[in-house]
mmCIF file of all heavy atoms in Angstrom:
data_model
loop_
_atom_site.group_PDB
_atom_site.id
_atom_site.type_symbol
_atom_site.label_atom_id
_atom_site.label_comp_id
_atom_site.label_asym_id
_atom_site.label_seq_id
_atom_site.Cartn_x
_atom_site.Cartn_y
_atom_site.Cartn_z
ATOM 1 N N ARG A 140 -12.206 -20.867 -8.992
ATOM 2 C CA ARG A 140 -11.814 -22.002 -8.200
ATOM 3 C C ARG A 140 -10.627 -22.733 -8.911
ATOM 4 O O ARG A 140 -10.630 -22.950 -10.100
ATOM 5 C CB ARG A 140 -12.992 -22.998 -8.154
ATOM 6 C CG ARG A 140 -12.772 -24.208 -7.266
ATOM 7 C CD ARG A 140 -13.999 -25.012 -7.119
ATOM 8 N NE ARG A 140 -15.118 -24.255 -6.468
ATOM 9 C CZ ARG A 140 -15.222 -24.134 -5.163
ATOM 10 N NH1 ARG A 140 -14.335 -24.686 -4.350
ATOM 11 N NH2 ARG A 140 -16.220 -23.466 -4.680
ATOM 12 N N GLY A 141 -9.632 -23.050 -8.148
ATOM 13 C CA GLY A 141 -8.475 -23.706 -8.720
ATOM 14 C C GLY A 141 -7.348 -22.695 -9.119
ATOM 15 O O GLY A 141 -6.260 -23.134 -9.468
ATOM 16 N N GLU A 142 -7.674 -21.433 -9.120
ATOM 17 C CA GLU A 142 -6.663 -20.461 -9.464
ATOM 18 C C GLU A 142 -5.602 -20.302 -8.370
ATOM 19 O O GLU A 142 -5.904 -20.404 -7.201
ATOM 20 C CB GLU A 142 -7.344 -19.070 -9.715
ATOM 21 C CG GLU A 142 -6.341 -18.013 -10.220
ATOM 22 C CD GLU A 142 -7.047 -16.683 -10.488
ATOM 23 O OE1 GLU A 142 -8.256 -16.554 -10.120
ATOM 24 O OE2 GLU A 142 -6.419 -15.805 -11.086
ATOM 25 N N LYS A 143 -4.340 -20.150 -8.801
ATOM 26 C CA LYS A 143 -3.233 -20.081 -7.831
ATOM 27 C C LYS A 143 -3.450 -18.846 -6.925
ATOM 28 O O LYS A 143 -3.726 -17.764 -7.379
ATOM 29 C CB LYS A 143 -1.924 -19.984 -8.549
ATOM 30 C CG LYS A 143 -0.723 -19.949 -7.600
ATOM 31 C CD LYS A 143 0.600 -19.892 -8.405
ATOM 32 C CE LYS A 143 1.791 -19.932 -7.446
ATOM 33 N NZ LYS A 143 1.868 -18.762 -6.569
ATOM 34 N N ILE A 144 -3.295 -19.101 -5.589
ATOM 35 C CA ILE A 144 -3.316 -18.013 -4.642
ATOM 36 C C ILE A 144 -1.982 -17.928 -3.965
ATOM 37 O O ILE A 144 -1.411 -18.962 -3.540
ATOM 38 C CB ILE A 144 -4.447 -18.259 -3.588
ATOM 39 C CG1 ILE A 144 -5.802 -18.311 -4.284
ATOM 40 C CG2 ILE A 144 -4.429 -17.157 -2.536
ATOM 41 C CD1 ILE A 144 -6.932 -18.708 -3.337
ATOM 42 N N ASP A 145 -1.376 -16.702 -3.848
ATOM 43 C CA ASP A 145 -0.074 -16.578 -3.216
ATOM 44 C C ASP A 145 -0.160 -15.618 -2.055
ATOM 45 O O ASP A 145 -1.222 -15.222 -1.615
ATOM 46 C CB ASP A 145 0.986 -16.139 -4.295
ATOM 47 C CG ASP A 145 0.569 -14.846 -4.991
ATOM 48 O OD1 ASP A 145 -0.176 -14.057 -4.388
ATOM 49 O OD2 ASP A 145 1.030 -14.644 -6.116
ATOM 50 N N SER A 146 1.015 -15.233 -1.542
ATOM 51 C CA SER A 146 1.053 -14.387 -0.320
ATOM 52 C C SER A 146 0.494 -13.021 -0.541
ATOM 53 O O SER A 146 0.264 -12.306 0.442
ATOM 54 C CB SER A 146 2.515 -14.324 0.139
ATOM 55 O OG SER A 146 3.354 -13.792 -0.869
ATOM 56 N N ASP A 147 0.278 -12.605 -1.811
ATOM 57 C CA ASP A 147 -0.374 -11.310 -2.029
ATOM 58 C C ASP A 147 -1.746 -11.191 -1.436
ATOM 59 O O ASP A 147 -2.311 -10.138 -1.252
ATOM 60 C CB ASP A 147 -0.441 -11.031 -3.522
ATOM 61 C CG ASP A 147 0.895 -10.662 -4.168
ATOM 62 O OD1 ASP A 147 1.795 -10.398 -3.354
ATOM 63 O OD2 ASP A 147 1.007 -10.643 -5.357
ATOM 64 N N ILE A 148 -2.305 -12.404 -1.090
ATOM 65 C CA ILE A 148 -3.661 -12.404 -0.517
ATOM 66 C C ILE A 148 -3.710 -11.629 0.771
ATOM 67 O O ILE A 148 -4.726 -11.035 1.137
ATOM 68 C CB ILE A 148 -4.139 -13.891 -0.246
ATOM 69 C CG1 ILE A 148 -5.620 -13.895 0.099
ATOM 70 C CG2 ILE A 148 -3.315 -14.516 0.837
ATOM 71 C CD1 ILE A 148 -6.527 -13.469 -1.045
ATOM 72 N N ILE A 149 -2.580 -11.517 1.485
ATOM 73 C CA ILE A 149 -2.554 -10.739 2.749
ATOM 74 C C ILE A 149 -2.818 -9.277 2.452
ATOM 75 O O ILE A 149 -3.676 -8.641 3.087
ATOM 76 C CB ILE A 149 -1.184 -10.910 3.430
ATOM 77 C CG1 ILE A 149 -0.965 -12.329 3.949
ATOM 78 C CG2 ILE A 149 -1.042 -9.935 4.628
ATOM 79 C CD1 ILE A 149 -1.930 -12.748 5.024
ATOM 80 N N GLU A 150 -2.131 -8.686 1.462
ATOM 81 C CA GLU A 150 -2.311 -7.309 1.120
ATOM 82 C C GLU A 150 -3.657 -7.081 0.460
ATOM 83 O O GLU A 150 -4.279 -6.000 0.676
ATOM 84 C CB GLU A 150 -1.151 -6.804 0.287
ATOM 85 C CG GLU A 150 0.187 -6.778 1.002
ATOM 86 C CD GLU A 150 1.204 -5.916 0.327
ATOM 87 O OE1 GLU A 150 0.904 -5.251 -0.657
ATOM 88 O OE2 GLU A 150 2.338 -5.880 0.816
ATOM 89 N N ARG A 151 -4.125 -8.051 -0.264
ATOM 90 C CA ARG A 151 -5.445 -7.879 -0.913
ATOM 91 C C ARG A 151 -6.559 -7.890 0.152
ATOM 92 O O ARG A 151 -7.456 -7.089 0.095
ATOM 93 C CB ARG A 151 -5.661 -9.012 -1.926
ATOM 94 C CG ARG A 151 -4.823 -8.906 -3.169
ATOM 95 C CD ARG A 151 -4.867 -10.190 -4.016
ATOM 96 N NE ARG A 151 -6.230 -10.579 -4.346
ATOM 97 C CZ ARG A 151 -6.514 -11.775 -4.840
ATOM 98 N NH1 ARG A 151 -5.574 -12.696 -5.005
ATOM 99 N NH2 ARG A 151 -7.761 -12.056 -5.148
ATOM 100 N N LEU A 152 -6.417 -8.788 1.148
ATOM 101 C CA LEU A 152 -7.381 -8.831 2.204
ATOM 102 C C LEU A 152 -7.317 -7.546 3.058
ATOM 103 O O LEU A 152 -8.348 -7.011 3.463
ATOM 104 C CB LEU A 152 -7.167 -10.028 3.100
ATOM 105 C CG LEU A 152 -8.126 -10.222 4.299
ATOM 106 C CD1 LEU A 152 -9.559 -10.249 3.817
ATOM 107 C CD2 LEU A 152 -7.795 -11.520 5.016
ATOM 108 N N TYR A 153 -6.130 -7.042 3.294
ATOM 109 C CA TYR A 153 -5.977 -5.790 4.040
ATOM 110 C C TYR A 153 -6.611 -4.638 3.251
ATOM 111 O O TYR A 153 -7.205 -3.753 3.870
ATOM 112 C CB TYR A 153 -4.499 -5.501 4.269
ATOM 113 C CG TYR A 153 -4.258 -4.322 5.184
ATOM 114 C CD1 TYR A 153 -4.313 -4.432 6.561
ATOM 115 C CD2 TYR A 153 -3.937 -3.077 4.653
ATOM 116 C CE1 TYR A 153 -4.083 -3.377 7.402
ATOM 117 C CE2 TYR A 153 -3.692 -1.971 5.483
ATOM 118 C CZ TYR A 153 -3.791 -2.146 6.846
ATOM 119 O OH TYR A 153 -3.529 -1.047 7.689
ATOM 120 N N ALA A 154 -6.547 -4.658 1.932
ATOM 121 C CA ALA A 154 -7.172 -3.651 1.100
ATOM 122 C C ALA A 154 -8.679 -3.667 1.254
ATOM 123 O O ALA A 154 -9.373 -2.626 1.309
ATOM 124 C CB ALA A 154 -6.772 -3.798 -0.327
ATOM 125 N N ILE A 155 -9.231 -4.874 1.331
ATOM 126 C CA ILE A 155 -10.679 -4.990 1.528
ATOM 127 C C ILE A 155 -11.090 -4.493 2.888
ATOM 128 O O ILE A 155 -12.072 -3.770 3.071
ATOM 129 C CB ILE A 155 -11.105 -6.493 1.367
ATOM 130 C CG1 ILE A 155 -10.943 -6.921 -0.097
ATOM 131 C CG2 ILE A 155 -12.586 -6.637 1.731
ATOM 132 C CD1 ILE A 155 -11.172 -8.389 -0.283
ATOM 133 N N ILE A 156 -10.321 -4.833 3.901
ATOM 134 C CA ILE A 156 -10.578 -4.390 5.286
ATOM 135 C C ILE A 156 -10.496 -2.865 5.314
ATOM 136 O O ILE A 156 -11.334 -2.224 5.968
ATOM 137 C CB ILE A 156 -9.593 -5.044 6.291
ATOM 138 C CG1 ILE A 156 -9.862 -6.574 6.360
ATOM 139 C CG2 ILE A 156 -9.671 -4.376 7.660
ATOM 140 C CD1 ILE A 156 -8.844 -7.350 7.136
ATOM 141 N N THR A 157 -9.514 -2.277 4.717
ATOM 142 C CA THR A 157 -9.403 -0.826 4.641
ATOM 143 C C THR A 157 -10.592 -0.202 3.979
ATOM 144 O O THR A 157 -11.129 0.834 4.473
ATOM 145 C CB THR A 157 -8.138 -0.426 3.860
ATOM 146 O OG1 THR A 157 -6.963 -0.895 4.597
ATOM 147 C CG2 THR A 157 -8.007 1.087 3.714
ATOM 148 N N ASP A 158 -11.092 -0.802 2.862
ATOM 149 C CA ASP A 158 -12.242 -0.275 2.206
ATOM 150 C C ASP A 158 -13.464 -0.347 3.091
ATOM 151 O O ASP A 158 -14.315 0.581 3.085
ATOM 152 C CB ASP A 158 -12.484 -1.081 0.937
ATOM 153 C CG ASP A 158 -13.672 -0.582 0.141
ATOM 154 O OD1 ASP A 158 -13.658 0.582 -0.288
ATOM 155 O OD2 ASP A 158 -14.659 -1.333 -0.002
ATOM 156 N N ARG A 159 -13.635 -1.394 3.865
ATOM 157 C CA ARG A 159 -14.771 -1.500 4.797
ATOM 158 C C ARG A 159 -14.726 -0.414 5.812
ATOM 159 O O ARG A 159 -15.772 0.172 6.179
ATOM 160 C CB ARG A 159 -14.770 -2.875 5.453
ATOM 161 C CG ARG A 159 -15.085 -4.035 4.509
ATOM 162 C CD ARG A 159 -16.529 -3.983 4.031
ATOM 163 N NE ARG A 159 -16.850 -5.138 3.261
ATOM 164 C CZ ARG A 159 -16.697 -5.259 1.948
ATOM 165 N NH1 ARG A 159 -16.176 -4.211 1.259
ATOM 166 N NH2 ARG A 159 -16.933 -6.374 1.297
ATOM 167 N N LYS A 160 -13.528 -0.078 6.336
ATOM 168 C CA LYS A 160 -13.420 0.944 7.336
ATOM 169 C C LYS A 160 -13.723 2.317 6.754
ATOM 170 O O LYS A 160 -14.378 3.178 7.393
ATOM 171 C CB LYS A 160 -11.986 0.940 7.949
ATOM 172 C CG LYS A 160 -11.869 1.844 9.166
ATOM 173 C CD LYS A 160 -10.531 1.611 9.881
ATOM 174 C CE LYS A 160 -10.383 2.544 11.095
ATOM 175 N NZ LYS A 160 -11.384 2.240 12.135
ATOM 176 N N GLU A 161 -13.273 2.539 5.516
ATOM 177 C CA GLU A 161 -13.484 3.850 4.884
ATOM 178 C C GLU A 161 -14.895 3.999 4.294
ATOM 179 O O GLU A 161 -15.447 5.035 4.230
ATOM 180 C CB GLU A 161 -12.412 4.057 3.793
ATOM 181 C CG GLU A 161 -10.964 4.053 4.288
ATOM 182 C CD GLU A 161 -10.674 5.151 5.251
ATOM 183 O OE1 GLU A 161 -11.242 6.245 5.118
ATOM 184 O OE2 GLU A 161 -9.798 4.938 6.135
ATOM 185 N N ASN A 162 -15.411 2.823 3.857
ATOM 186 C CA ASN A 162 -16.729 2.850 3.190
ATOM 187 C C ASN A 162 -17.601 1.756 3.810
ATOM 188 O O ASN A 162 -17.725 0.633 3.196
ATOM 189 C CB ASN A 162 -16.600 2.618 1.664
ATOM 190 C CG ASN A 162 -15.674 3.710 1.083
ATOM 191 O OD1 ASN A 162 -16.048 4.841 0.895
ATOM 192 N ND2 ASN A 162 -14.494 3.279 0.674
#
Side-chain angles (χ1 to χ4, degrees):
R140 186 175 297 276
E142 184 177 10
K143 182 179 182 297
I144 299 175
D145 55 26
S146 58
D147 285 347
I148 192 65
I149 295 293
E150 294 198 3
R151 288 167 57 192
L152 180 54
Y153 187 81
I155 293 174
I156 291 169
T157 296
D158 181 62
R159 290 293 185 270
K160 189 171 180 64
E161 301 296 329
N162 304 288

